[in-house]
Amino acid sequence: MIKNKPIYILGIESSCDDTSASVICNGKILSNVVANQEIHTKYGGVVPELASRAHQQNIVPVIQQAIHQANIDKKDLNAIAFTRGPGLMGSLLVGTSFAKSLSLALDIPLIAVNHMQGHVLAHFIEDENHKKPPFPFLCLTISGGHTQIVKISSHFKMEVLGETLDDAVGEAYDKSAKILGLPYPGGPLVDKYARLGNPKAFKFTKPRVDGLNFSFSGLKTGILYFIQKQVKENPNFIEENLNDVCASIQYTIVEILFDKLKLAVKQTGIKHIAIAGGVSANSEIRKVLKESEAKLGWTTYIPKFEYTTDNAGMIAIVGYLKYLEEDFSKETISATARLKVSES
Ligand code: KG4
Ligand code: ZN
C-alpha cells in the first residue's frame, strides 16, 4: 500500500457522448472537465458515428485542460485510468487508444475502469461535504443505459439484485420527452417542468414485474397513446398541460423506482442506500430519497451533482482505488461495449 505521498491519476471517460478528463490526487478531485456534444440534440438521440468523431476532436484539448486546471505537469501523473466499457464501441475506442498511448509515452501504468463501477464508486471521492457509504450498501444505479439495484459489499464486490428487463429509466425520461416534443436529452427538461406541475393530474399505469427487476417500455407506450389521444381532441394539449404531464410522468417513474428499492431493503435488511448515474441528478428522486431517512429510517447517500452524469472524476476515483491495489491493465487490453457491473 502506497501512503503519504501524492498520487496523481488522470481519468478519461468517453463511453457515450461526453468527452471528459479529470485529475485526482489521493482521492480528491483537482479537475473534472466535461465537453458535452451538442451535435446530438437535433437528431433526438446519440448518433454513434458522430459521437466518436466528436471524441476524436475533443479528447486532446479536454485532457490538456484537466491537467492545466489541476496545476500539475503531465510528468507528475502516476497512472492513466480510462473507461473500458460498457458503452458505444466507437466512443470507447477513442478514450482507450488515447489512454494506452499516453501511458506508453509517460511510461506509467494503465488502469481499465468499468463505467458502471465508476458511477457507484463516485461516492468514494474525498469531499468534506459528502459522507462515504459503509459496506454493505445498496445502490440504485440509474442512467441512460442502466437501471439496477446493486449490492456493494466492498469497492470491487458488486452484485446486481435487480435490473430493467427492457428500457433504462433514463431512456424512459428521454423518450417521454421526445413524445412531448422536447429536445435530447429530455430527462433534465422533464425534471424542470415537473417541478411546476401537479403530479396527480394524470395517471399512468405502473408495470407489474416480479422481484427486484424493472420495466419501462410499457410506460413509454402508455404515455405515447395517452398523448396521441389527447392531442387528437385538443391540438394544444401538450402546450397547455406540459408541467402537469411532466409531473405525472415523473411521479410514476419515482414510484416505480422506490417501490423496488423498498422491496430490496426488505429483502436484504440493508438500510444504507445510495443513488448513482445520470438520472440520480433528478430533483424528485433526490428529494424522495432524502425524505426516506425520516420516513423509513434509511441512511442515504446522494452524489454531488457534478458526479451524477457521465464525468471522468468517477473514472479517476476508481483508477486511484485500483492503483492502491496495484491492479494495473496490460497494454493489450481492449474496449468492450458490454461489461457487467460485477466485472472489473
Ligand atoms: O449516466 P449518464 O450521464 O449517461 C449514461 O451512462 O447513460 O445518464 C444520462 C441520462 C440521460 O437519459 C438523461 O436524460 C438523464 O441521465 N438525466 C436525467 C436528469 N439529468 C440527466 N433524468 C432525469 N432528471 C434529470 N435531472
Ligand atoms: Zn453513465
Side-chain angles (χ1 to χ4, degrees):
M1 189 86 129
I2 310 117
K3 269 192 182 155
N4 301 330
K5 69 170 192 174
I7 304 294
Y8 295 101
I9 312 280
L10 174 72
I12 301 174
E13 155 64 29
S14 73
S15 66
C16 190
D17 61 338
D18 295 304
T19 318
S20 181
S22 166
V23 176
I24 199 167
C25 179
N26 295 13
K28 218 172 166 173
I29 300 285
L30 302 184
S31 62
N32 191 14
V33 179
V34 183
N36 302 116
Q37 300 179 359
E38 296 298 327
I39 183 103
H40 307 288
T41 312
K42 61 179 178 195
Y43 295 98
V46 177
V47 183
E49 172 78 22
L50 297 179
S52 20
R53 280 193 223 176
H55 283 306
Q56 194 86 264
Q57 286 177 336
N58 294 341
I59 195 148
V60 172
V62 164
I63 288 174
Q64 275 177 328
Q65 209 181 327
I67 292 173
H68 179 74
Q69 273 183 19
N71 212 8
I72 61 159
D73 188 276
K74 57 181 178 302
K75 293 195 188 76
D76 297 325
L77 291 169
N78 295 85
I80 311 289
F82 69 99
T83 303
R84 181 184 175 217
L88 300 170
M89 197 47 159
S91 290
L92 290 166
L93 284 175
V94 178
T96 305
S97 302
F98 194 91
K100 285 185 176 198
S101 313
L102 195 55
S103 97
L104 181 72
L106 297 172
D107 197 20
I108 54 176
L110 181 67
I111 302 173
V113 174
N114 178 327
H115 179 88
M116 297 313 294
Q117 292 187 350
H119 276 302
V120 175
L121 296 175
H123 283 283
F124 292 87
I125 289 171
E126 293 291 340
D127 186 332
E128 56 205 24
N129 298 316
H130 180 75
K131 58 180 189 305
K132 293 178 195 154
F135 301 117
F137 68 96
L138 298 181
C139 188
L140 177 68
T141 309
I142 39 182
S143 71
H146 291 79
T147 306
Q148 298 180 327
I149 296 176
V150 187
K151 179 181 166 188
I152 292 100
S153 304
S154 68
H155 287 137
F156 295 104
K157 189 160 182 259
M158 302 194 187
E159 183 193 349
V160 176
L161 304 181
E163 62 190 330
T164 185
L165 304 174
D166 40 58
D167 290 353
V169 63
E171 275 178 281
Y173 265 107
D174 296 339
K175 287 177 180 172
S176 303
K178 200 172 177 181
I179 295 168
L180 298 172
L182 301 172
Y184 177 86
L189 293 171
V190 173
D191 187 10
K192 182 177 142 194
Y193 295 122
R195 273 177 245 167
L196 308 168
N198 171 9
K200 303 267 176 77
F202 306 105
K203 198 165 165 46
F204 298 107
T205 315
K206 288 194 281 178
R208 258 184 244 147
V209 188
D210 285 343
L212 297 176
N213 288 332
F214 299 90
S215 167
F216 286 99
S217 68
L219 177 66
K220 171 194 65 193
T221 315
I223 292 167
L224 178 66
Y225 290 161
F226 169 78
I227 294 294
Q228 282 176 341
K229 185 166 169 272
Q230 299 296 327
V231 168
K232 224 179 203 174
E233 287 164 20
N234 170 14
N236 297 326
F237 177 80
I238 296 178
E239 285 156 50
E240 289 169 10
N241 297 279
L242 186 61
N243 296 342
D244 285 349
V245 173
C246 288
S248 303
I249 292 172
Q250 179 144 292
Y251 178 81
T252 315
I253 290 177
V254 173
E255 276 222 315
I256 295 171
L257 294 174
F258 279 84
D259 283 353
K260 295 291 181 172
L261 208 43
K262 282 181 204 159
L263 186 60
V265 171
K266 199 172 156 200
Q267 286 185 4
T268 59
I270 299 169
K271 287 192 169 188
H272 288 280
I273 314 294
I275 48 172
V279 184
S280 71
N282 185 269
S283 63
E284 186 64 16
I285 296 173
R286 295 167 90 89
K287 187 175 132 235
V288 174
L289 187 64
K290 195 79 208 139
E291 287 169 357
S292 71
E293 299 212 336
K295 276 191 191 157
L296 304 166
W298 296 358
T299 310
T300 66
Y301 304 85
I302 298 173
K304 249 188 160 174
F305 201 75
E306 62 255 47
Y307 304 134
T308 54
T309 48
D310 290 349
N311 69 92
M314 68 188 205
I315 304 306
I317 184 66
V318 183
Y320 175 63
L321 295 170
K322 286 192 163 187
Y323 186 90
L324 295 180
E325 294 183 7
E326 298 187 27
D327 184 359
F328 304 139
S329 306
K330 288 195 183 133
E331 64 275 17
T332 49
I333 192 155
S334 59
T336 170
R338 289 179 186 278
L339 196 60
K340 294 190 186 121
V341 72
S342 51
E343 295 170 331
S344 256

